[in-house]
Amino acid sequence: MMKKKIALALAAMMAASSLAACGGGGGTTETAATKAADQGSGQEAPAKEGGQEAPDTVYPAGTLTVYAMGNPQYRQQYFETWLENHRDIAPDVKIEFVQTEGTADIREKITMTALSGATEDLPDAAMLDPVTIMDLAKAGLLKDETEYLAPLLDKMVDGATTDATIDGKIYALPDSVRPQVLFYNKDIFDEYGIDPETMSTMEGYIEAGRQLKEKSGGEVYLSYIDPTSKTWRYWGRRGLMPSAGAKIWDDNGEVVIGSDEGTKKALGALDTMNKEGLMMKTTIMEPALYDAINNQKVATFLIGAFWDEFMRQNCEATKGQWRVMPAPAFEGVDKAGAPVSQFMGIVEKGDNPYSELFRMMWYDFTFDIEAKEVWVNSMEEQNAPYSNPVSKEMLEDPFWKEPSEFYGGMSFREMEGKCLENGAENMAVTPQDAEADEIISAELEKYVAGNQSMEDAIANMDKNLKAKIGKAEVAQ
């Protein structure tokens, strides 16, 4: 019966939308055994203030599987240690984080597996973004976490569950809320006598790029522009568009990107920087760009806070030179970038014996201060990924204000938290976003290649969105 329900829901979803679109070693304390939701009569109970009752359940032998992206092997280390510390309730449970290419890949793998009827092959949980949450929730493939999370909302940073909420129900557990920030090489700015504070506005940011180009004789670029889809991903959807208050669709789901003033403002700024030669044309997250950074040829990155891990892993030669500040604000919008949220969703697969066990793990990863600090120290030693916690209490701990050698004594963790202040709203999420991203990115790629102007690119985005998608279902 479960397979039939999922197949029917998926068939409806597939007809309506297209299928397209960072963890570590250390010990944990035995807090989860006293904080897990009790099982009752099979209905998972919500979290209780002051700690949750321990379940009587001993979880069956097997492997808890999680689909993830980035560098999931580090997160797996944390969860493996957690299991070792809780063998009283999970004596023979293993955990495996399966590497995927990204959230679009996760969405497609889960959807196609469920549609085939092989629900036993579905993962137990997965890392998710808002688009994937919307698609999978509408297909009945995610657990409803509203009741479980309700007592915990006041303990988490503002907006932690916003992007996982659909029609008043929360379909995933918050994993991170990371701001848009401006990374800049202080040594470069000092060498050329440019005040970084001028970059608090977008106009000032572009002017800083002009000064860098002039004073360095064209040797130093303000930033980069990627010839692939990542220009839309990082400069567009996650960066300049929300900062400028831009829209792809209006509140009724009609395509407006071609006439939207925010879009003209956002992509116009990108066009100005590119046409004036302030951007190095190179693929992000590849050796050529890291070499340019290490040779002090690229001065800034206006990007999500996740870029920290890539800098630490690949740019040791510039250790101590980098600083961070809030993202530049567009005149008339005056918002310092929009945060990007990531979630962990429990997959609805009928009789999932590990749903509550995974919630226990998530709870400690989110609220256990001592365990989280041990893990983060391990991440620092390995130059591995981690993000600021979503727990308000944890963020107040002095640990999250410690200075970083990579940032010349500045506390990156503290600045990441501060950069969440005055954040812009993210763009509206629709089930059509995956297909829309492909359409929009294709036009930007032609622009970066020099095959069309930005004006033509925007016009073609508008035309193709209307022709291929039409009206979108905008989440309210």
Side-chain angles (χ1 to χ4, degrees):
M1 187 65 178
M2 178 67 186
K3 293 180 181 179
K4 184 176 180 181
K5 287 182 178 179
I6 289 177
L8 288 172
L10 278 163
M13 183 196 75
M14 293 284 283
S17 65
S18 172
L19 280 173
C22 257
T28 66
T29 58
E30 294 200 32
T31 56
T34 59
K35 294 174 182 172
D38 49 53
Q39 298 288 306
S41 60
Q43 177 69 33
E44 287 104 358
K48 297 177 176 63
E49 290 296 327
Q52 302 172 358
E53 296 176 11
D56 296 328
T57 302
V58 174
Y59 293 92
T63 300
L64 194 165
T65 303
V66 184
Y67 284 179
M69 63 276 191
N71 296 283
Q73 68 273 22
Y74 298 111
R75 183 70 65 89
Q76 180 164 324
Q77 290 175 31
Y78 177 94
F79 281 64
E80 285 174 341
T81 303
W82 191 98
L83 284 171
E84 287 303 315
N85 289 342
H86 296 86
R87 286 305 178 194
D88 55 330
I89 61 172
D92 297 300
V93 177
K94 298 178 181 179
I95 188 163
E96 180 184 9
F97 277 68
V98 177
Q99 177 82 56
T100 69
E101 296 178 3
T103 53
D105 188 33
I106 290 173
R107 180 164 64 252
E108 183 168 2
K109 280 180 165 65
I110 292 177
T111 302
M112 297 309 294
T113 299
L115 191 58
S116 73
T119 55
E120 67 276 5
D121 294 332
L122 287 167
D124 298 283
M127 285 185 177
L128 306 172
D129 66 356
V131 175
T132 303
I133 292 171
M134 177 173 282
D135 269 2
L136 297 185
K138 285 184 176 293
L141 285 168
L142 292 179
K143 292 279 190 181
D144 181 349
E145 304 292 350
T146 311
E147 186 179 4
Y148 176 76
L149 289 173
L152 301 174
L153 296 180
D154 289 343
K155 296 182 178 183
M156 297 187 288
V157 297
D158 293 344
T161 61
T162 300
D163 288 342
T165 304
I166 303 170
D167 296 331
K169 294 183 178 181
I170 308 170
Y171 286 96
L173 307 167
D175 189 67
S176 65
V177 183
R178 310 202 73 178
Q180 188 83 352
V181 303
L182 179 59
F183 296 81
Y184 67 94
N185 188 311
K186 183 177 182 296
D187 283 17
I188 293 177
F189 280 79
D190 287 348
E191 179 178 354
Y192 296 109
I194 303 170
D195 182 4
E197 291 302 316
T198 63
M199 297 190 293
S200 61
T201 66
M202 185 54 62
E203 294 77 10
Y205 180 60
I206 295 173
E207 181 57 32
R210 291 168 177 151
Q211 291 188 43
L212 284 168
K213 180 180 180 181
E214 179 184 354
K215 294 181 177 182
S216 71
E219 290 295 313
V220 178
Y221 294 91
L222 177 65
S223 196
Y224 80 102
I225 190 165
D226 194 310
T228 75
S229 63
K230 291 186 174 65
T231 281
W232 170 243
R233 181 179 180 88
Y234 298 129
W235 276 110
R237 177 175 284 282
R238 294 188 180 182
L240 299 176
M241 294 287 280
S243 292
K247 294 182 179 181
I248 298 173
W249 334 88
D250 65 14
D251 293 343
N252 296 317
E254 302 291 346
V255 177
V256 296
I257 194 169
S259 59
D260 179 61
E261 291 302 317
T263 299
K264 295 176 184 177
K265 186 178 292 188
L267 298 185
L270 185 66
D271 186 36
T272 296
M273 290 185 283
N274 185 46
K275 286 197 302 188
E276 294 190 15
L278 310 184
M279 318 261 271
M280 173 180 282
K281 188 180 294 187
T282 184
T283 308
I284 196 172
M285 300 172 190
E286 294 293 338
L289 180 54
Y290 296 137
D291 288 345
I293 296 170
N294 286 324
N295 289 320
Q296 296 187 310
K297 302 296 184 184
V298 181
T300 77
F301 288 92
L302 176 50
I303 198 169
F306 79 91
W307 186 239
D308 161 64
E309 70 189 69
F310 292 92
M311 296 274 279
R312 288 188 288 109
Q313 288 174 342
N314 299 284
C315 304
E316 182 71 15
T318 58
K319 181 177 181 179
Q321 298 176 13
W322 290 89
R323 304 290 187 274
V324 293
M325 61 186 287
F330 280 94
E331 183 179 358
V333 182
D334 301 320
K335 294 291 184 178
V340 174
S341 298
Q342 180 174 285
F343 301 86
M344 301 295 287
I346 298 175
V347 177
E348 181 60 80
K349 51 187 285 189
D351 184 19
N352 184 344
Y354 299 132
S355 294
E356 194 54 44
L357 181 62
F358 188 81
R359 288 195 186 101
M360 293 164 67
M361 293 176 171
W362 171 84
Y363 186 97
D364 276 9
F365 187 78
T366 303
F367 296 107
D368 188 330
I369 294 175
E370 181 181 351
K372 194 64 165 277
E373 292 180 4
V374 171
W375 169 68
V376 170
N377 282 331
S378 177
M379 295 298 94
E380 290 275 8
E381 291 171 3
Q382 300 177 64
N383 277 332
Y386 68 89
S387 61
N388 271 25
V390 297
S391 162
K392 291 178 181 177
E393 181 183 7
M394 196 178 294
L395 279 171
E396 290 303 312
D397 191 279
F399 178 84
W400 293 94
K401 298 174 174 39
E402 288 182 355
S404 165
E405 290 184 15
F406 191 85
Y407 295 96
M410 172 184 278
S411 173
F412 177 79
R413 301 171 194 157
E414 183 176 23
M415 281 304 300
E416 180 173 344
K418 288 182 177 180
C419 287
L420 283 171
E421 300 171 4
N422 193 39
E425 290 187 12
N426 275 294
M427 301 178 74
V429 176
T430 82
Q432 291 75 33
D433 282 355
E435 185 178 1
D437 283 351
E438 291 187 347
I439 293 169
I440 295 170
S441 181
E443 300 305 325
L444 268 185
E445 289 168 50
K446 293 177 188 175
Y447 161 78
V448 176
N451 295 328
Q452 65 180 346
S453 68
M454 183 61 82
E455 291 78 9
D456 287 342
I458 295 173
N460 287 331
M461 293 172 194
D462 190 85
K463 179 182 68 176
N464 292 333
L465 286 168
K466 288 175 178 175
K468 297 179 181 179
I469 297 178
K471 192 171 183 178
E473 182 182 346
V474 179
Q476 302 297 323

